[in-house]
Amino acid sequence: MRILGITIPDNKRLEIALTTLYGVGRSRASDVLNKAKVDPASKAKDLTVDQENEIRKIIESFRIEGDL
């Protein structure tokens, strides 16, 4: 899974894996997963395309990575 050109690790829990994005910490990752209705303990490789797109849409609405 890639978000804003950054590859999200497939084998880590999503709650931790999303923190590879600059500007996304544990609390923001938890908020994103709650809004997307995705289990924080799931892994990126187990997501459906719809779940990936929902997470991507929510994260891209924040100021992260190069914008910071």
Side-chain angles (χ1 to χ4, degrees):
M1 177 167 132
R2 291 181 62 84
I3 299 176
L4 298 173
I6 306 298
T7 302
I8 304 300
D10 284 336
N11 294 322
K12 290 186 178 181
R13 294 177 41 179
L14 277 174
E15 186 176 36
I16 304 300
L18 290 177
T19 62
T20 59
L21 296 166
Y22 184 75
V24 177
R26 296 275 304 266
S27 61
R28 184 172 272 184
S30 294
D31 290 343
V32 167
L33 294 173
N34 285 335
K35 286 181 187 176
K37 297 181 178 114
V38 176
D39 180 26
S42 61
K43 299 187 181 204
K45 64 181 178 180
D46 300 329
L47 293 178
T48 64
V49 175
D50 292 334
Q51 289 173 323
E52 283 185 25
N53 290 333
E54 185 64 26
I55 291 170
R56 189 175 290 115
K57 184 176 83 171
I58 294 168
I59 287 179
E60 288 176 351
S61 68
F62 297 129
R63 284 184 70 186
I64 57 172
E65 285 295 324
D67 294 338
L68 291 177

